[in-house]
DNA sequence: GTGTGACTTCTAGTCCGTA
DNA sequence: ATACGGACTAGAAGTCACA
């Protein structure tokens, strides 16, 4: 399982658990709505700066978004 | 402290603790020697795929490379 | 063995739209 | 609210020569 897919799945999971839409998360992280969408579908090879933006918008540690399912 | 700097510092720390040169790590991760160098100097906004390559070459979980100093 | 500037190629990331 | 496409621009990937 690639980190890219783990990240994508965790991102969606945490985002929805916080009740955020993709649009809302995009706004909070100053990223584009369609970009968040493509990241969650693991189409994009996201950079560390943007990973941090997303984690920060979700108010969690970046490592939380890289934690595989048990 | 940005994730980028944390990653850079941890990368260098783990690499040297394993006795690897930048050249050796570059070879193991199929990245260029000077690229590894620039990442360790946090000059590059590295992507998740390359982060994974480096973690894999060091035989550790990617999250280990994002762990801040205590 | 590593740092650095300069460079080209390629893709990350934006912005428009449709469904 | 989300997926997805096309077209575009900013910037990452990747390499090199030299210190």
């Amino acid at each position: 399982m690639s980190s890219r897919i783990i990240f994508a799945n965790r991102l969606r999971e945490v985002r929805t658990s916080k009740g955020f839409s993709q649009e809302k998360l995009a706004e909070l992280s100053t990223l584009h709505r369609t970009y968040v969408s493509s990241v969650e579908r693991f189409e994009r090879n996201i950079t560390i700066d943007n990973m941090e933006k997303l984690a920060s918008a979700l108010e969690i540690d970046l490592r939380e978004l890289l934690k595989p399912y048990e």
Side-chain angles (χ1 to χ4, degrees), chain A:
Chain A
M1 180 82 117
S2 79
S3 299
R4 193 155 154 173
I5 295 177
I6 291 171
F7 184 85
N9 290 338
R10 289 284 294 159
L11 180 66
R12 176 162 291 184
E13 186 181 51
V14 174
R15 174 179 66 76
T16 55
S17 80
K18 299 236 172 185
F20 292 154
S21 65
Q22 289 178 350
E23 278 174 334
K24 181 64 180 171
L25 176 56
E27 182 191 326
L28 291 172
S29 55
T30 66
L31 290 171
H32 201 271
R33 175 181 65 75
T34 60
Y35 182 70
V36 173
S37 170
S38 64
V39 167
E40 287 191 354
R41 283 175 286 117
F42 39 86
E43 281 184 356
R44 299 282 180 153
N45 186 14
I46 192 172
T47 58
I48 191 169
D49 287 359
N50 282 346
M51 290 168 77
E52 182 171 36
K53 279 188 185 176
L54 289 168
S56 175
L58 292 169
E59 295 179 306
I60 58 173
D61 191 285
L62 175 49
R63 284 173 294 165
E64 272 297 316
L65 291 177
L66 290 166
K67 192 185 280 182
Y69 298 108
E70 276 101 54

